[in-house]
Amino acid sequence: MNDMHACKPKILMDLESLNATNALGCPACGRKFSLGDSAVLACGAWGSGPRYIHENEAVKDSKTSQYFERGYYMSLKEDA
């Protein structure tokens, strides 16, 4: 999942998605995903490329239409 254009940017968690992501949980908040949770492919401070996080933990940048983890996005804005 290193290329944001290779995957769907927004999904509803199904069994296959849960099996792929729940070993580590949500990198933004640390909680596990549940069936039916809305998740988005976002960049964050974890540094290993975009990952799926809970949608409520993300901000969509209006200029790029990409999602970012909320705290990471705020730190980018402060640096600018």
Side-chain angles (χ1 to χ4, degrees):
M1 279 191 279
N2 288 338
D3 185 6
M4 291 188 75
H5 301 292
C7 298
K8 294 180 182 178
K10 185 175 179 180
I11 63 169
L12 288 179
M13 282 290 168
D14 58 14
L15 189 56
E16 182 180 350
S17 301
L18 286 176
N19 289 335
T21 59
N22 256 359
L24 299 174
C26 175
C29 65
R31 293 180 292 126
K32 299 291 184 183
F33 292 99
S34 298
L35 283 174
D37 280 354
S38 181
V40 295
L41 193 59
C43 293
W46 46 82
S48 62
R51 294 187 184 176
Y52 281 109
I53 66 172
H54 290 99
E55 185 175 16
N56 65 332
E57 297 291 335
V59 174
K60 187 173 183 179
D61 183 64
S62 58
K63 292 180 183 176
T64 64
S65 295
Q66 292 181 332
Y67 289 96
F68 293 88
E69 185 268 327
R70 190 174 302 281
Y72 180 69
Y73 186 76
M74 293 304 178
S75 72
L76 293 175
K77 291 296 181 184
E78 290 172 359
D79 293 340

